[in-house]
Amino acid sequence: VIGPRLEELYGSMDVAARLHHDPVAFPRRYADPADIEVAAAVAASLAFGRVDLFRPVLARLFVEMDARGGPRRYVEGFDRERDGAALLPIVYRWTRGPDFVALFAVLGEAVRQHGGLEPLFDYRGEPDVREALQRGIDALRAIASAQAGRPFGELSRGVKGFFPAPDGGSACKRWNMFLRWVVRPGKEGVDLGIWRRIPTRALVVPLDTHVARIARFVGLTARTDGSWKTAIEITRSLRDLDADDPIRFDFAIAHLGISGACKGRWDAEVCPACPLVSICVEATAAGG
Ligand code: SF4
């Protein structure tokens, strides 16, 4: 019963309107896959907290990138002195100007060394992207550490926060979202479909608070934490609905929460019209 309800949720979503409230709107501005890839990595990296708070910060970063020929040329030619000065005043939560400088320097070195980010996330046919993600993050951490001349664990909270890894138990929401964007085809008008090596069946759900909560409400998981284990449990449940493309409903589920439509509890104003009401434990508990 979950599948048809999720289909209905997806069908009821105004994708164009929701894109204004989603960081994927930034990489979608570009036509060249080389720009799209870097733009996606930057946009996903800042996608924590409230979208109305991180979006103006991303807008500032993209002004800088566009002024130097677009995201790929900007990071490839990134100069800490010349380009870093404009970044130093930028602050987002625990991420400070020097952390943004480090992010662009790392991405620049990665694309110079490997011709792009895809070779770093080396997928070798595993059941899911955990190992490919770990390899990619390990490579980016190694660059960050080499550039700073210190072990990764000694870098600032902001830099470390850019590069969480599954082996620490993190759900790695932002990097799983990045992978969803670059792997899933763009035909629905959301994702970007620029990578070829990772199959959609291996993707893991980008677990944010909205997805975690709504997944629990509709029985995709019984777990209550925001860990990698929970992301995997939800992904496995979604695979039962669509083995080839388990996270195709992620955008719709996430935006049911991001939009504020789902209040996280029974609400007599909104819940009766929610496509998930017949399978939601909150509705059942409220007798809805
Ligand atoms: S029925 Fe209500 S609480 Fe349940 S998912 Fe829908 S909006 Fe959220």
Side-chain angles (χ1 to χ4, degrees):
V1 290
I2 297 181
R5 298 284 72 76
L6 290 177
E7 295 281 5
E8 191 183 333
L9 174 68
Y10 202 109
S12 68
M13 188 137 295
D14 183 343
V15 171
R18 293 314 310 162
L19 277 178
H20 292 300
H21 306 278
D22 195 288
V24 78
F26 286 94
R28 288 187 64 81
R29 294 173 176 178
Y30 300 93
D32 183 343
D35 280 323
I36 294 172
E37 182 185 69
V38 172
V42 174
S45 293
L46 262 283
F48 59 97
R50 280 173 40 195
V51 65
D52 54 332
L53 297 181
F54 67 71
R55 199 173 48 178
V57 183
L58 278 175
R60 265 181 91 177
L61 298 178
F62 277 85
V63 165
E64 294 299 320
M65 289 189 273
D66 288 342
R68 293 220 173 262
R72 176 61 175 257
R73 284 182 63 185
Y74 177 78
V75 298
E76 247 175 345
F78 187 75
D79 183 292
R80 284 174 183 270
E81 300 296 320
R82 183 195 62 203
D83 303 321
L87 305 177
L88 290 179
I90 302 178
V91 174
Y92 178 60
R93 298 183 69 174
W94 53 79
T95 313
R96 312 277 144 180
D99 304 326
F100 292 111
V101 173
L103 174 66
F104 287 122
V106 168
L107 293 176
E109 185 61 22
V111 300
R112 280 193 303 273
Q113 280 183 14
H114 301 276
L117 299 176
E118 189 171 11
L120 277 69
F121 294 80
D122 180 21
Y123 175 72
R124 302 177 193 167
E126 297 94 346
D128 62 49
V129 292
R130 186 185 195 283
E131 301 308 321
L133 182 54
Q134 186 72 47
R135 291 179 197 112
I137 296 299
D138 283 345
L140 295 169
R141 284 178 170 186
I143 295 171
S145 171
Q147 288 181 335
R150 281 181 291 151
F152 181 77
E154 292 180 13
L155 302 186
S156 67
R157 182 183 180 192
V159 172
K160 287 191 285 189
F162 284 136
F163 306 113
D167 69 356
S170 166
C172 301
K173 172 242 172 174
R174 288 166 291 150
W175 284 101
N176 275 320
M177 189 170 69
F178 167 79
L179 291 177
R180 192 198 91 204
W181 291 351
V182 294
V183 168
R184 288 198 74 249
K187 60 182 188 293
E188 294 149 357
V190 176
D191 295 316
L192 308 165
I194 55 168
W195 282 12
R196 295 286 169 267
R197 298 181 202 171
I198 299 176
T200 53
R201 68 172 181 279
L203 292 170
V204 170
V205 74
L207 186 68
D208 66 10
T209 54
H210 305 295
V211 172
R213 190 179 64 228
I214 295 167
R216 202 167 62 247
F217 286 174
V218 302
L220 294 170
T221 184
R223 296 180 60 89
T224 55
D225 62 40
S227 67
W228 180 269
K229 281 185 181 170
T230 303
I232 289 295
E233 187 168 290
I234 294 169
T235 302
R236 286 197 180 125
S237 298
L238 291 171
R239 270 196 211 125
D240 291 340
L241 308 176
D242 189 335
D244 286 331
D245 192 7
I247 64 167
R248 72 188 174 98
F249 296 118
D250 173 61
F251 181 83
I253 297 171
H255 276 271
L256 181 62
I258 294 168
S259 66
C262 177
K263 312 278 186 218
R265 58 185 166 0
W266 173 259
D267 184 302
E269 295 285 314
V270 289
C271 291
C274 173
L276 306 183
V277 67
S278 64
I279 54 171
C280 176
V281 293
E282 284 291 302
T284 310

